[in-house]
Amino acid sequence: MKDYQKKTLAKLSEFLSKSRYASLSDTFLQVREAPGYSAQYKALAKLEDVPYICLRLPTGGGKTLLSAHSIQVAANSYLEMDYPLVLWLVPTDTIRSQTLETLNNPWHPNREVLDHHFGGQVRIFDITDFNLLRAQDIGQSTCIFVATFASFRVNSTAGRKVYAHNENLEPHFGSIPKAAYLEHSEQGEVKYSFANLLAHYRPLVIVDEAHNNNSALSIEVLQRLRPSAIIEFTATPASNSNVLYKVSASELKAEDMIKLPIRLAEHRSWEDAVTNAIQTRERLQQLANGEDQYIRPIVLFQAENRDKDVTVDVILNQLVDQEGIPREEIAVATGDQRELDGINLFDPKCPVKYIITIQALKEGWDCSFAYVFCSMAKVQSAKDAEQLLGRILRMPYAKRRKQNDLNRAYAHLSVSAWFEALARIHDNLVSMGFEEQEASSSIIYQPELDIEQGTPDLIQEDLVVYTASAPELSTLSMAIQMDAKMENTDDGQYKVTFVINSREDLKELEDNAAKIFDKVEDRQQLIIQVARKRGHSRPLSPAEKGETLIVPQLCLDFGDGYHSVAERETFLPQGWDLLSFPVGLESFQVLEEGHVYEIDIEGAKLRERALDLQETLNFGVATHWTEAQLIGWLDRKLQQSDIAYSTLIEFLRRHIRYLQEHKKVFLPDLVRLRFVLEKLLRKKIEQCRDQAYKQGIQEVLFHVPQAAYVGPQAVMVFREGLYPAKNFYQGRTIFSKHFFTSIGSMNDEEVECAKVLDSNKKIKTWVRNIERHQESSFWLPTHDDRFYPDFVAELIDGRILVVEYKGEHLATNEDTQEKDLIGRLWADRSNSQCLFLMVTMFDEEGRDIHGQISKVLG
């Protein structure tokens, strides 16, 4: 999986594990990592004890694959069962069919994930086939039912088959007692309905595109089904969603999931837009012919409705009669014409290069060969345009292409048909899960003609923007202020008119955009109009120009000819021995009052009592487990790449014996508590590993320092497309030297540090370094993790400066001291090519940030 997908699942696992033993609101506040969304947990009415969280991923993030993975995460971390019952809810019947197709295909990654996690014991059901569920399936296989909310969403339960009495389900109800939450017939008997069956077993509920399902009726559906947990996946969370983790579009781009930026060209006529779209495809095809993997770039034409001018037939005739495109290379995909049905667009023998549609591709359609979007339609619904635009963003094979132009998407639009095209696409990207600044930097505007070359300076031209907020003009020159006009419009906006007398006026407006308007979208409108007047887009960042920022990493050489980047695994080249650590699980306590167990998991106390005889009989097959079966179960859960199979088995055997002989815990109770035991043993392994590496890093870095070196053999390269910020700086200061167009978020003190870097004449460019992205950011090793300094800068003379800012309250703690030592060691081993500074607001000699940086630069 991609790194952001692993982090998403890890955050889900952390939340569910901790919420098993602590309150949902406290756990949510502690675990969440979703800047920009509410930190207050909002429970569903009548389901206050049910975990209800949302994972926010932009379009193209692989939500279906993550949904499949999340079933095992929930089963292990919260449900504590081997084979859960799952209700997978999707927004439409089309998505339902597509989801069922992937889950039933044994060679599709979505199904492979499930088979891997559950040993092939998986059964997939369409909601219409629930009567095929056998009583023996529950508890022996992971049973997944795929349905739309509409299958359950009714004012009267009499209107849906899932609520109806069904004799085929009678075998399931033999052991289900009457309960108030079950729906009864008019005669007072429990209905043998699928809804009642779900309510009894409390399914795990997966919700795809959850923002469509926040109505009161949808919530009532969930209340009836009594889910054990609810996990939402969406690009645009609803207002009542508990967003646990947020993935940015920049993270997707950095991991080659989507094509960015979008190169947007506006044309004076729809015919010109069509011609240019064809030319773009042909140019991309030439580049694709040099790729290792087969790619056939495809153009998506969006026609107008039948009552408009540029219909499907008009575009088809234009392609065939005027452009000479063979008819077999064109597919029409509308409600009436379904020429893509049964076509595999990825097949090298497939001739289709052009697809004409209106809105038919907006739902669930996916082909990463789609590169060019050409629209003649004025789309009224932002959601419709968003879905169509999203069809060209997925990267073929989720792998960056050798030819950089194949890493981008292209849009050709008719100005007359799509008013304010650039602003509309910006809004569409935001609705697809992009941050405001991501959307702004993801669009490169290309006018049809280059009007700058050979054009006289502008004289007395109006520049007009329509904005939501009034401008602040005090920062502009008096000449521009005097000529500017502001009028109220009928729709409550402002019409702001600037009189432009020179290109210097344009530059002044662009440079002061953030001071003139508070809202990002208003600034964007001003910059758009400046770009149109000037005839070119905003200045490119160093990354967009194709430049790189190369930072050497700390490496190790033990004299054996093997060189490696210094991370904690390399400090123990011979590995580590799990069995060298003492046996014991002190957090597992037997209390005096009978066989009652108190288990401490990360500071939370869990009490478990021993089962009585009748409960033991009802416990079933698990009571017949042998010690070897329990060890085998734990081994499958705890397998790790740096621990040999024989070592892990012996580690588990020792601890099972320890709990039975020293803690006096019966084997049936250990089986019953196996999910808790797995968590305790996993934590014990992590603690042993951390202790081993702490000793290893201390030995090598500070007792064998000659092993460490810095050189060109291993470097971290900042380059275009690899800046996976989760949140972005939105302050008023405009920075001119940042390596990327966008800047990762900074607190107030870090902004002050960035100002000093940006204004220093010895610094060529700098980067706000992003945490927790090993492949895209600069890092140094620590004994238990990686250290990601706040800033990396390249000096005019080619040297590299790395700066870590620390607040006064952190400047002297043990963690900061370790980072400072390792940073200084990295700089010391660089042959004077690298500098490191741990900066505070004021140092011991009273120097401010500017003084500290000036001193280290010399």
Side-chain angles (χ1 to χ4, degrees):
M1 289 191 297
K2 301 294 186 178
D3 189 51
Y4 74 87
Q5 293 173 326
K6 295 177 184 176
K7 291 177 180 177
T8 301
L9 293 175
K11 188 61 65 173
L12 173 63
S13 178
E14 182 184 3
F15 172 79
L16 292 176
S17 293
K18 291 182 177 179
S19 63
R20 176 80 169 79
Y21 316 108
S23 75
L24 290 169
S25 57
D26 290 346
T27 303
F28 182 74
L29 185 62
Q30 175 190 356
V31 173
R32 65 178 291 276
E33 189 177 337
Y37 292 95
S38 173
Q40 182 179 359
Y41 181 82
K42 299 173 282 292
L44 287 179
K46 300 180 182 179
L47 296 172
E48 289 81 4
D49 62 338
V50 174
Y52 168 55
I53 50 90
C54 174
L55 300 170
R56 183 269 201 192
L57 295 96
T59 298
K63 292 187 286 290
T64 306
L65 180 66
L66 282 174
S67 297
H69 276 287
S70 69
I71 295 173
Q72 185 271 339
V73 171
N76 197 60
S77 300
Y78 185 79
L79 305 178
E80 297 189 348
M81 59 175 58
D82 292 313
Y83 303 109
L85 181 66
V86 182
L87 180 61
W88 188 315
L89 294 173
V90 297
T92 66
D93 281 326
T94 301
I95 302 296
R96 176 175 62 88
S97 298
Q98 293 168 346
T99 303
L100 281 166
E101 182 179 352
T102 67
L103 295 182
N104 279 314
N105 182 351
W107 296 281
H108 195 283
N110 295 341
R111 178 55 184 263
E112 289 178 340
V113 163
L114 295 169
D115 285 339
H116 170 74
H117 287 316
F118 299 107
Q121 296 296 106
V122 178
R123 295 203 69 195
I124 307 295
F125 299 87
D126 188 337
I127 190 63
T128 59
D129 297 327
F130 62 78
N131 59 324
L132 300 179
L133 178 69
R134 303 169 302 179
Q136 62 267 32
D137 290 331
I138 298 178
Q140 300 301 312
S141 297
T142 293
C143 300
I144 302 174
F145 292 86
V146 182
T148 63
F149 251 104
S151 302
F152 294 88
R153 192 193 289 124
V154 288
N155 289 311
S156 170
T157 60
R160 292 282 181 237
K161 291 183 179 180
V162 293
Y163 296 106
H165 184 84
N166 191 316
E167 294 295 338
N168 292 321
L169 298 178
E170 182 177 1
H172 294 276
F173 285 85
S175 58
I176 295 179
K178 289 185 178 181
Y181 59 78
L182 297 177
E183 188 176 11
H184 293 69
S185 66
E186 295 180 356
Q187 292 75 32
E189 297 296 325
V190 172
K191 282 186 178 181
Y192 297 162
S193 69
F194 182 60
N196 271 345
L197 195 64
L198 290 177
H200 172 72
Y201 284 107
R202 306 201 65 183
L204 167 67
V205 173
I206 304 293
V207 186
D208 185 8
E209 294 300 338
H211 63 280
N212 294 317
N213 305 305
N214 65 337
S215 67
L217 199 53
S218 296
I219 294 173
E220 183 181 338
V221 167
L222 295 172
Q223 291 169 344
R224 287 182 190 145
L225 300 179
R226 300 177 68 243
S228 55
I230 306 168
I231 305 172
E232 301 177 341
F233 292 87
T234 186
T236 51
S239 58
N240 68 329
S241 292
N242 298 307
V243 183
L244 178 71
Y245 191 71
K246 179 181 81 170
V247 175
S248 69
S250 296
E251 290 176 276
L252 267 62
K253 180 182 178 184
E255 299 208 50
D256 304 334
M257 292 293 287
I258 56 178
K259 314 182 193 96
L260 284 178
I262 299 170
R263 291 197 173 273
L264 168 68
E266 294 179 317
H267 303 280
R268 291 187 173 89
S269 68
W270 69 265
E271 293 93 343
D272 287 344
V274 170
T275 299
N276 279 270
I278 294 171
Q279 293 173 350
T280 299
R281 199 216 75 82
E282 291 175 347
R283 180 174 61 84
L284 293 175
Q285 183 66 72
Q286 292 176 355
L287 297 175
N289 292 337
E291 290 287 319
D292 297 332
Q293 294 169 297
Y294 174 75
I295 296 175
R296 185 180 67 262
I298 292 174
V299 180
L300 299 184
F301 290 104
Q302 184 190 21
E304 293 184 306
N305 289 324
R306 291 179 179 177
D307 58 343
K308 303 295 182 181
D309 295 328
V310 191
T311 63
V312 169
D313 289 339
V314 170
I315 296 177
L316 180 61
N317 292 335
Q318 179 74 13
L319 292 176
V320 175
D321 298 337
Q322 303 300 320
E323 301 290 348
I325 304 298
R327 180 61 178 86
E328 62 269 19
E329 294 183 1
I330 306 169
V332 177
T334 64
D336 299 329
Q337 293 176 266
R338 308 180 65 87
E339 296 179 6
L340 286 177
D341 289 358
I343 299 295
N344 178 10
L345 291 172
F346 296 102
D347 188 342
K349 297 179 181 179
C350 177
V352 175
K353 299 175 183 176
Y354 305 92
I355 297 172
I356 307 174
T357 187
I358 300 174
Q359 296 178 16
L361 297 180
K362 70 179 184 178
E363 186 180 88
W365 185 85
D366 183 18
C367 178
S368 56
F369 286 178
Y371 265 87
V372 185
F373 177 51
C374 183
S375 177
M376 275 57 71
K378 183 175 181 179
V379 180
Q380 300 299 323
S381 166
K383 181 175 176 59
D384 290 345
E386 155 206 334
Q387 294 282 5
L388 281 164
L389 186 64
R391 303 287 75 84
I392 65 171
L393 291 187
R394 299 178 192 271
M395 182 74 80
Y397 310 105
K399 180 182 177 182
R400 187 177 180 85
R401 317 318 309 171
K402 292 186 298 183
Q403 297 290 337
N404 201 38
D405 281 350
L406 291 173
N407 297 319
R408 298 166 175 156
Y410 301 84
H412 292 273
L413 307 168
S414 170
V415 175
S416 60
W418 195 326
F419 179 70
E420 297 294 351
L422 186 54
R424 180 66 62 89
I425 286 187
H426 173 278
D427 293 342
N428 293 338
L429 290 175
V430 171
S431 63
M432 290 163 62
F434 284 57
E435 298 297 317
E436 285 280 357
Q437 291 198 0
E438 286 179 310
S440 300
S441 62
S442 294
I443 307 167
I444 296 180
Y445 172 69
Q446 294 180 306
E448 189 172 34
L449 298 174
D450 185 354
I451 64 172
E452 188 172 22
Q453 295 183 356
T455 303
D457 209 0
L458 298 170
I459 297 177
Q460 289 292 313
E461 285 202 20
D462 287 350
L463 186 154
V464 180
V465 292
Y466 293 87
T467 67
S469 59
E472 172 54 62
L473 305 179
S474 60
T475 60
L476 298 173
S477 65
M478 189 58 65
I480 294 181
Q481 289 187 51
M482 290 180 64
D483 289 336
K485 293 187 298 183
M486 182 177 69
E487 305 169 70
N488 293 321
T489 63
D490 293 339
D491 58 359
Q493 290 192 314
Y494 297 92
K495 177 184 178 182
V496 185
T497 304
F498 298 99
V499 179
I500 306 302
N501 292 289
S502 67
R503 295 195 179 278
E504 284 70 28
D505 288 349
L506 289 175
K507 186 176 187 305
E508 183 176 353
L509 288 175
E510 184 177 46
D511 290 345
N512 288 277
K515 298 176 182 178
I516 298 172
F517 293 110
D518 289 331
K519 294 186 177 181
V520 174
E521 56 267 31
D522 292 341
R523 301 175 205 165
Q524 180 68 19
Q525 280 297 305
L526 177 58
I527 292 172
I528 290 168
Q529 297 301 336
V530 168
R532 285 173 173 165
K533 290 293 183 183
R534 183 188 287 150
H536 62 77
S537 61
R538 56 172 171 72
L540 299 178
S541 67
E544 290 175 318
K545 292 177 184 177
E547 298 177 16
T548 57
L549 199 170
I550 301 174
V551 188
Q553 293 189 289
L554 184 66
C555 298
L556 295 178
D557 178 7
F558 293 104
D560 54 3
Y562 179 74
H563 303 264
S564 61
V565 176
E567 50 186 327
R568 69 176 195 166
E569 286 77 8
T570 60
F571 291 103
L572 291 176
Q574 305 304 319
W576 64 288
D577 184 10
L578 179 60
L579 299 179
S580 65
F581 294 88
V583 175
L585 286 176
E586 297 307 319
S587 59
F588 201 122
Q589 299 293 332
V590 180
L591 303 183
E592 292 183 1
E593 60 268 26
H595 291 289
V596 179
Y597 310 111
E598 183 176 84
I599 303 159
D600 188 335
I601 297 182
E602 298 184 6
K605 303 291 185 181
L606 170 69
R607 281 200 172 194
E608 286 281 351
R609 61 183 177 83
L611 299 177
D612 61 27
L613 178 60
Q614 184 58 46
E615 288 175 316
T616 302
L617 292 174
N618 292 336
F619 187 43
V621 66
T623 60
H624 303 301
W625 282 24
T626 64
E627 180 180 293
Q629 286 175 304
L630 176 58
I631 291 174
W633 185 90
L634 289 168
D635 169 66
R636 290 191 295 274
K637 295 287 185 181
L638 293 170
Q639 289 176 5
Q640 299 178 40
S641 60
D642 61 346
I643 303 175
Y645 169 77
S646 57
T647 299
L648 181 57
I649 290 293
E650 178 59 19
F651 170 83
L652 296 173
R653 188 195 67 80
R654 291 181 185 182
H655 280 79
I656 295 300
R657 288 290 174 87
Y658 166 81
L659 289 172
Q660 292 181 88
E661 295 173 3
H662 295 276
K663 293 289 189 177
K664 306 302 180 185
V665 184
F666 295 121
L667 179 61
D669 291 338
L670 288 176
V671 173
R672 177 170 58 88
L673 297 172
R674 63 191 183 278
F675 286 93
V676 176
L677 183 58
E678 180 262 336
K679 293 180 177 65
L680 295 176
L681 290 170
R682 185 181 299 277
K683 183 178 180 181
K684 175 69 180 287
I685 292 172
E686 291 172 355
Q687 291 171 339
C688 293
R689 183 188 286 109
D690 285 346
Q691 189 174 338
Y693 284 122
K694 183 175 184 178
Q695 182 177 351
I697 197 170
Q698 294 291 329
E699 286 282 338
V700 173
L701 289 186
F702 304 112
H703 296 289
V704 194
Q706 66 272 15
Y709 72 96
V710 174
Q713 293 87 347
V715 296
M716 190 275 143
V717 181
F718 291 97
R719 59 180 173 82
E720 193 274 330
L722 291 180
Y723 193 61
K726 189 176 295 293
N727 216 28
F728 296 87
Y729 168 72
Q730 297 183 5
R732 287 184 170 272
T733 300
I734 298 176
F735 295 100
S736 61
K737 293 184 181 179
H738 194 259
F739 185 75
F740 297 100
T741 304
S742 300
I743 305 175
S745 61
M746 301 181 285
N747 61 36
D748 291 342
E749 293 174 325
E750 289 165 344
V751 169
E752 294 304 313
C753 189
K755 288 180 182 178
V756 173
L757 294 173
D758 202 72
S759 62
N760 194 293
K761 295 181 179 180
K762 294 185 178 181
I763 291 177
K764 175 184 176 183
T765 186
W766 61 275
V767 172
R768 169 65 165 114
N769 201 36
I770 305 300
E771 285 191 328
R772 305 294 173 193
H773 285 277
Q774 179 183 355
E775 301 299 327
S776 309
S777 301
F778 175 70
W779 54 269
L780 292 166
T782 62
H783 77 274
D784 62 346
D785 202 355
R786 293 185 178 90
F787 160 41
Y788 294 82
D790 293 321
F791 301 100
V792 177
E794 181 182 0
L795 307 186
I796 297 295
D797 61 17
R799 290 181 296 164
I800 298 297
L801 169 67
V802 168
V803 177
E804 169 72 358
Y805 182 87
K806 281 298 175 187
E808 300 295 335
H809 65 293
L810 297 174
T812 59
N813 67 16
E814 185 177 341
D815 176 69
T816 298
Q817 291 174 357
E818 181 185 22
K819 292 176 178 178
D820 192 28
L821 283 171
I822 293 174
R824 291 174 184 272
L825 177 68
W826 168 77
D828 183 63
R829 293 290 183 271
S830 70
N831 194 27
S832 301
Q833 294 305 301
C834 301
L835 304 169
F836 178 84
L837 177 64
M838 183 77 74
V839 67
T840 56
M841 188 60 71
F842 293 96
D843 66 8
E844 296 176 350
E845 299 180 25
R847 285 185 290 255
D848 60 8
I849 297 174
H850 175 78
Q852 295 170 65
I853 291 178
S854 296
K855 179 185 178 184
V856 76
L857 292 182

